Amino acid sequence: IIVTARKKEETLISAPVAVTAVGAADINRLNIQSIDDLARFTPGLSFSKAFGRSTDRPVVRGAASILAGVQAGVEAGAAYFVDGVYYQGDISSIDMTDVARVEVIKGPQSALYGRNTYSGAIDFITKSPGSAFRAGATVSVAEHGEQSLNLSIGGPITERISGSLSARLYQYDGEFDNAAAP
């Protein structure tokens, strides 16, 4: 597996940093659809929206601010990146079918990524549009009103330019009804 944990391409085994890489084949095989699913298969990564937080909170190796998502301006200590670019906010809506690889860089070596990475960095590397036309769709329906629709299309636009477009619709009604609500 080729990783870019140090901002350059190198094999996973030769990278002198603690990194877990999950490729597209494993994302599909393990049915990883969200950051929460990813945390289940990544040692040292946990994910929580608990205790009244308004945003998700990734925790790498137990190092995180307990005020992240509760107090304005306090960040979690592990940051998200998409193709190496800082992504602020909730990333739970990312379409995992459009992801080629996820790299979870653990520990102080992730400081190379910059802002909010004292415990780790989670980098989603998206699939390249490529030189051949591709299109895909996935639909899933589950209990508790969970519905997901993913659409993607990509390929050459001109002789030198390629592009891709993905869209996702996700709905989840929840497991419990609030009896106190009118």
Side-chain angles (χ1 to χ4, degrees):
I1 296 178
I2 302 297
V3 296
T4 54
R6 295 191 310 152
K7 303 279 186 168
K8 66 178 188 174
E9 289 186 359
E10 57 192 337
T11 62
L12 179 61
I13 197 76
S14 66
V17 296
V19 60
T20 299
V22 181
D26 288 329
I27 290 170
N28 189 34
R29 182 178 59 82
L30 298 170
N31 195 27
I32 295 174
Q33 305 218 356
S34 66
I35 183 73
D36 191 35
D37 294 338
L38 179 68
R40 290 187 189 123
F41 296 103
T42 305
L45 174 65
S46 61
F47 177 78
S48 175
K49 230 183 207 182
F51 308 114
R53 289 183 174 81
S54 59
T55 61
D56 50 5
R57 180 180 155 218
V59 178
V60 177
R61 293 183 171 173
S65 172
I66 60 171
L67 296 176
V70 176
Q71 185 174 341
V74 178
E75 295 177 331
Y80 298 121
F81 295 83
V82 177
D83 294 325
V85 177
Y86 180 72
Y87 187 94
Q88 185 175 6
D90 188 3
I91 200 159
S92 62
S93 63
I94 192 166
D95 181 5
M96 294 300 284
T97 60
D98 200 34
V99 173
R101 183 176 70 253
V102 181
E103 297 177 6
V104 180
I105 302 94
K106 303 168 197 154
Q109 298 88 346
S110 61
L112 176 64
Y113 280 81
R115 177 181 178 176
N116 190 28
T117 59
Y118 65 83
S119 70
I122 304 165
D123 194 5
F124 295 86
I125 293 90
T126 58
K127 293 178 181 174
S128 173
S131 59
F133 176 78
R134 67 174 172 84
T138 59
V139 176
S140 65
V141 178
E143 61 185 349
H144 306 297
E146 185 174 9
Q147 302 170 17
S148 178
L149 170 64
N150 300 312
L151 303 170
S152 66
I153 187 169
I157 296 171
T158 68
E159 199 173 293
R160 294 182 178 208
I161 299 173
S162 294
S164 65
L165 178 65
S166 294
R168 180 176 192 218
L169 175 64
Y170 179 79
Q171 181 176 339
Y172 178 61
D173 292 338
E175 294 183 38
F176 304 100
D177 290 326
N178 186 352

